[in-house]
Amino acid sequence: MEAYPTIVALSSAPGRAGVAVMRVSGPRARFALETFAGELPKPRQAVLRRLRDHDGTAIDTALVLLFPAPASFTGEDVVEFHLHGSRAVLARVLEALTALPGIRLAEAGEFTRRAFEAGKLDLAAVEGLADLIDSETEWQRKQALRQMEGELGKIAGGWREKLIEAMSLLAAELDFSDEGDVAGPLQEQALALAGEVLASLRKALGSFAMGERVREGFVVVLAGPPNAGKSSLLNALARRDVAIVSPIAGTTRDALEVRLDLAGLPVILIDTAGLRDSVDPVEAEGVRRARAHAERADLVLSLRDVDSEPYRIEEHPPVLRIATKSDVGGVALPGELAISVKTGEGLTELLAAIVERLQKLDQGEPALLTRERHRAAVTDAVAALERAVAADHGQGELLAEDMRLAVVALERLVGRIGVEDVLDRLFAGFCIGK
């Protein structure tokens, strides 16, 4: 274990703060604690200690905690120093710790990687932890917490166990069919188990779009002819000047994005170029991009000046029709929501309508699959089980092979095999102290 380096990093946010947390993990964590704080405290009990440098100079007064292996986040001995959040204190403590033999600065995500390697977290839980750290809205927090607590890993483990049971039934039929205690339609029982797993996998796959949207954000596009008030509405909803507002038609030529938290929903609001025919090649490209954004949106806000003619836009994806500039007169058509950015009329109702439309996309149960990697692994498992269930050849060896391929796909899902390339990319996105 002494050859395995001990790592240290600031685990709280950098900068001036009331309290900051310095975390140490590895075989020399206890040595570091004894060196600076004296006698080891009882496990998981916070103790107030004076931290002193190698020459006896006081550095700070801190709470110290010891989490002995294996009952720690990383599975190793872990020590935490809860310090005053001064840049000078943090710099001195970090300098003193890394000066000790066998202790170095942690790399991005290295604490979590050690937890994964120690079997404390599966890959899906690690991804959930990353999403929880990055979460900005209530829906994102709930989904990420469920993932971090191992919900996907538990369910995937259940799928795997059923498929292994099915494979054992096929093996029994193939290898021990002449034994007296091997009786019954074993192949049929195996296929029934595979069918149960297949149905559950299909259901999980159907929730992927929602899980990805909660993680990445629902896309809401502002569309309509020039001077319909799209940029003004974007600024009003963002509560800051994001887009240039001008009475000159064609001012907006490229898409502008703003991230919003609407009742806990993560929303990406996109302002687009005014939809009209144009001989200007730059504006024409902006219009093309506007239509492309609208086609991929979860919801389109179709705007028109209340005094102008209605502008028709495709009903797919869902469209919420809005009549702008209601403060200057004019009449909203049936099915339209009248708003005025100038007076604020209708903006509260508009936000409520957006939230209502997006919530209708929810299928009721929280999504299990939230990343493209999840979708790809489950898709591979579904394809293998579909071959097995649909087969009419009755060859147990071929059925067992399809089920084995499904198990391999599920093991990729939770990180049991073939995930080194995923790990490097995933942990690189973590902060240094996590």
Side-chain angles (χ1 to χ4, degrees):
M1 286 297 293
E2 287 294 320
Y4 199 56
T6 296
I7 56 174
V8 57
L10 177 66
S11 290
S12 53
R16 183 171 176 264
V19 177
V21 178
M22 193 78 70
R23 178 185 284 173
V24 184
S25 177
R28 297 185 69 80
R30 296 181 188 228
F31 168 69
L33 179 54
E34 289 176 312
T35 300
F36 292 103
E39 183 182 354
L40 293 175
K42 293 181 180 179
R44 290 171 293 281
Q45 179 175 313
V47 177
L48 186 65
R49 291 286 174 82
R50 189 81 159 173
L51 303 186
R52 296 186 180 276
D53 212 338
H54 64 280
D55 59 0
T57 303
I59 301 175
D60 192 20
T61 300
L63 286 175
V64 298
L65 295 100
L66 170 65
F67 302 91
S72 71
F73 175 71
T74 61
E76 306 171 317
D77 284 341
V78 172
V79 166
E80 288 185 357
F81 297 94
H82 293 229
L83 310 152
H84 291 99
S86 155
R87 292 181 185 274
V89 169
L90 298 177
R92 186 68 195 101
V93 171
L94 199 57
E95 180 184 2
L97 284 169
T98 53
L100 295 175
I103 301 180
R104 63 164 173 80
L105 282 172
E107 298 175 356
E110 191 168 4
F111 287 94
T112 307
R113 184 159 193 157
R114 291 191 179 193
F116 171 75
E117 291 171 347
K120 295 289 183 176
L121 300 170
D122 63 31
L123 184 56
V126 170
E127 290 169 328
L129 176 57
D131 290 343
L132 184 63
I133 292 171
D134 292 336
S135 63
E136 298 176 341
T137 72
E138 183 65 6
W139 279 38
Q140 287 176 330
R141 181 194 66 79
K142 288 180 178 179
Q143 178 170 284
L145 184 62
R146 183 171 185 253
Q147 197 90 322
M148 188 195 74
E149 291 178 342
E151 188 67 21
L152 177 56
K154 292 174 187 174
I155 293 176
W159 292 333
R160 180 177 177 275
E161 288 303 315
K162 282 190 176 182
L163 291 178
I164 290 176
E165 182 182 351
M167 291 167 64
S168 69
L169 291 173
L170 292 172
E173 185 175 67
L174 289 168
D175 298 334
F176 307 107
S177 58
D178 57 342
E179 299 291 335
D181 58 349
V182 177
L186 299 186
Q187 190 173 115
E188 288 81 352
Q189 293 176 33
L191 289 174
L193 286 170
E196 291 177 15
V197 175
L198 178 59
S200 185
L201 287 171
R202 284 171 172 163
K203 183 178 179 180
L205 200 57
S207 73
F208 168 70
M210 188 64 180
E212 185 181 42
R213 277 297 184 246
V214 170
R215 181 172 173 269
E216 299 291 342
F218 294 89
V219 177
V220 178
V221 171
L222 304 176
N227 286 343
K230 298 183 295 297
S231 297
S232 296
L233 179 57
L234 179 76
N235 291 341
L237 296 181
R239 298 184 180 180
R240 58 190 173 93
D241 289 337
V242 179
I244 298 173
V245 177
S246 166
I248 301 173
T251 299
T252 302
R253 296 194 171 195
D254 205 354
L256 297 174
E257 295 186 5
V258 174
R259 300 189 72 91
L260 302 177
D261 178 351
L262 300 183
L265 290 171
V267 173
I268 302 172
L269 191 63
I270 303 179
D271 181 22
T272 60
L275 300 177
R276 67 172 181 177
D277 295 329
S278 176
V279 295
D280 183 333
V282 177
E283 185 180 1
E285 175 61 18
V287 172
R288 186 195 68 78
R289 294 185 182 187
R291 296 186 186 280
H293 279 296
E295 289 174 0
R296 295 192 297 268
D298 297 297
L299 177 64
V300 174
L301 305 185
S302 178
L303 279 65
R304 74 170 181 95
D305 185 326
V306 72
D307 284 336
S308 68
E309 291 296 319
Y311 186 86
R312 304 307 301 174
I313 193 167
E314 294 295 330
E315 291 292 340
H316 182 78
V319 174
L320 183 58
R321 301 194 179 277
I322 302 168
T324 63
K325 307 178 186 179
S326 61
D327 55 288
V328 300
V331 178
L333 299 175
E336 285 185 334
L337 178 61
I339 67 167
S340 169
V341 170
K342 186 175 181 179
T343 66
E345 177 193 349
L347 293 184
T348 300
E349 292 79 4
L350 172 59
L351 289 172
I354 293 172
V355 170
E356 181 183 3
R357 293 290 187 96
L358 295 180
Q359 286 178 335
K360 287 181 178 179
L361 300 176
D362 187 8
Q363 297 177 344
E365 295 183 6
L368 272 178
L369 312 181
T370 61
R371 294 176 177 245
E372 175 59 27
R373 187 187 70 80
H374 302 168
R375 187 202 63 77
V378 171
T379 298
D380 288 346
V382 166
L385 292 180
E386 284 178 339
R387 286 195 302 271
V389 171
D392 58 2
H393 49 65
Q395 299 297 314
E397 297 92 336
L398 298 179
L399 296 176
E401 175 62 12
D402 281 332
M403 292 183 193
R404 185 192 69 81
L405 292 175
V407 169
V408 168
L410 296 178
E411 289 180 338
R412 287 203 313 271
L413 177 64
V414 296
R416 290 183 179 224
I417 59 171
V419 293
E420 283 305 315
D421 55 336
V422 176
L423 293 179
D424 291 338
R425 291 196 304 271
L426 176 61
F427 291 119
F430 274 76
C431 53
I432 295 295
K434 196 62 178 177

